[in-house]
Amino acid sequence: MSAVPMVKAEAVHKSYGAAHILRGIDLEVAPREVFCLVGPSGSGKSTFLRCINHLEKINGGRLSVDGQLVGYRQKGDKLYELKDKEVAAQRRDIGMVFQRFNLFPHMTALENVMEAPVQVKGEAKAVARERAARLLDRVGLGDRTGNYPSQLSGGQQQRVAIARALAMEPKLMLFDEPTSALDPELVGEVLDVMRGLADEGMTMIVVTHEMGFAREVGDALVFMDGGVVVESGHPREVLTNPQHDRTKAFLSKVL
């Protein structure tokens, strides 16, 4: 296990005007770890996820990925914000899968997965096409490469979105409730793909309501409420034997 955490948050704060969303988050995610974030709506889970790849700017504290500060450069004891181009370069190493699939409707599944490597990395189309086909095969959609998003089910679209994130060969994958927009019978196919990634050693942070997935696949679990980490530990331990009253109250509603 590497000594450098893949993600390290130190006293991370985030506000929107008077609304204080994150109130000093401290946590570490080790390389190859599947790290699950659970908690009620509005607890700050998705906001924290978006701060990790600087889609949201933090108002206090420090966030680093693989030993590098996210969105800032330190000089002396001061932090200076990076230019957009530098932030974009950092983001290449961080894949993100949202609740909504955000696929390009006018592109086939194959073209959706090829797009970023060609446009962002300047990769040759033939190389990107070969990888895209391989990734779609890996998420069980090898026979759907020529389909447009409108011709795919929600679960299939989400699997294309995962393949698209993987096409940039990230060292970290962020999942923001990837199954919450899906019909219940389609949830399993997306979770199966995520299980496969976990088996391959991909570092993943997953905001989820799927407690079974967290228990079975997760290496660590954090329960957030009101913008703070209330409780953390091994998923099985936290889910079967929560220590904090707020955790107990939450789990009594979802388990």
Side-chain angles (χ1 to χ4, degrees), residues 50-72:
R50 292 169 68 84
C51 289
I52 293 172
N53 65 359
H54 209 58
L55 285 174
E56 301 286 356
K57 297 174 186 176
I58 62 177
N59 302 113
R62 302 159 65 92
L63 250 176
S64 52
V65 170
D66 204 15
Q68 267 202 319
L69 276 177
V70 174
Y72 297 90

Side-chain angles (χ1 to χ4, degrees), residues 100-202:
R100 298 279 165 196
F101 327 119
N102 299 344
L103 297 176
F104 298 115
H106 61 289
M107 293 184 182
T108 63
L110 191 75
E111 289 164 345
N112 263 286
V113 178
M114 285 172 61
E115 179 72 1
V118 171
Q119 297 300 331
V120 178
K121 285 185 168 176
E123 204 168 78
K125 278 192 174 168
V127 175
R129 184 177 290 111
E130 190 184 319
R131 186 193 299 109
R134 200 168 63 239
L135 286 169
L136 286 169
D137 200 38
R138 179 170 158 192
V139 299
L141 294 172
D143 58 342
R144 300 289 187 149
T145 56
N147 288 54
Y148 289 91
S150 61
Q151 299 169 312
L152 300 170
S153 72
Q156 290 168 332
Q157 289 185 60
Q158 191 60 296
R159 285 186 281 154
V160 173
I162 293 172
R164 182 177 63 177
L166 292 172
M168 291 295 282
E169 301 181 314
K171 53 189 170 190
L172 170 66
M173 285 283 281
L174 308 176
F175 291 89
D176 189 5
E177 297 190 29
T179 57
S180 66
L182 299 178
D183 293 333
E185 69 269 24
L186 302 177
V187 167
E189 62 191 52
V190 173
L191 294 180
D192 283 345
V193 170
M194 293 169 66
R195 273 189 198 95
L197 289 178
D199 290 343
E200 290 164 24
M202 173 63 76

Side-chain angles (χ1 to χ4, degrees), residues 216-250:
E216 182 195 335
V217 184
D219 299 302
L221 181 141
V222 156
F223 170 67
M224 281 177 69
D225 192 13
V228 299
V229 171
V230 176
E231 190 164 336
S232 62
H234 191 278
R236 285 194 194 98
E237 187 59 34
V238 176
L239 294 174
T240 53
N241 188 22
Q243 299 301 303
H244 199 289
D245 287 344
R246 275 152 88 189
T247 319
K248 287 174 188 168
F250 173 75

Side-chain angles (χ1 to χ4, degrees), residues 12-14 20-25 43-44 47-48 51 224 227:
V12 168
H13 286 261
K14 173 68 188 172
H20 201 166
I21 308 296
L22 300 177
R23 300 167 175 265
I25 300 290
S43 57
T47 299
F48 177 67
C51 289
M224 281 177 69

